[in-house]
Amino acid sequence: GYFCSTILSMKDLTNIKIAVDFDGTIVEHDYPAIGREIMFAFASLKQLQEQGALLILWTYRTGSLLDAAIDYCRKNGIEFYAVNANYPEEKPEDGMPRKINADIYIDDRNAGGFPGWGEIMDIIDPWSEKEAAAMKSIRGKRFGFFSKK
């Protein structure tokens, strides 16, 4: 699920591994076809990458269906660190379970369902928007002996 194994204020996500499901998480369910993008999916994934996160595509898809999902994400500006693997060089063998070792899992099949990308981003970095708004408010005020009231 999207449950965060660690709760951090994550302005810097360098080397934080985030496993992301495809169907129902990045796109609406339409398997085996590719559904429409879920609102803010690619914008959120890009932001996570810009903050240093290593994104792992973690999906049921295999073969040509997996290739189509990877191509769809690539066309929308997302290159994954790894796909159905813990690191790029890992080559899972047939029958080997695809348990991914990640710090955070984002999946629509978690308890409670998929909350949406806005909620996901608040869970991963709960303070960034609030902090930015507070700083803007503070900068707009003058403090000190000579300030206007």
Side-chain angles (χ1 to χ4, degrees), residues 31-101:
Y31 185 86
I34 293 177
R36 294 182 310 176
E37 175 192 354
I38 291 180
M39 191 180 316
F40 305 121
F42 288 111
S44 299
L45 293 170
K46 288 174 189 174
Q47 181 180 340
L48 292 170
Q49 283 186 323
E50 288 167 6
Q51 289 175 268
L54 302 174
L55 300 181
I56 298 172
L57 182 61
W58 179 45
T59 179
Y60 177 78
R61 290 173 177 258
T62 58
S64 63
L65 297 176
L66 176 59
D67 293 339
I70 293 168
D71 289 342
Y72 180 81
C73 291
R74 186 174 290 133
K75 287 175 186 170
N76 284 280
I78 297 297
E79 289 282 343
F80 291 98
Y81 166 73
V83 176
N84 287 338
N86 292 298
Y87 50 89
E89 301 80 20
E90 183 180 46
K91 302 292 181 214
E93 298 174 20
D94 287 338
M96 181 177 151
R98 293 190 309 195
K99 179 78 174 177
I100 300 298
N101 180 21

Side-chain angles (χ1 to χ4, degrees), residues 21 55 129 138:
D21 183 33
L55 300 181
E129 271 189 46
I138 290 169

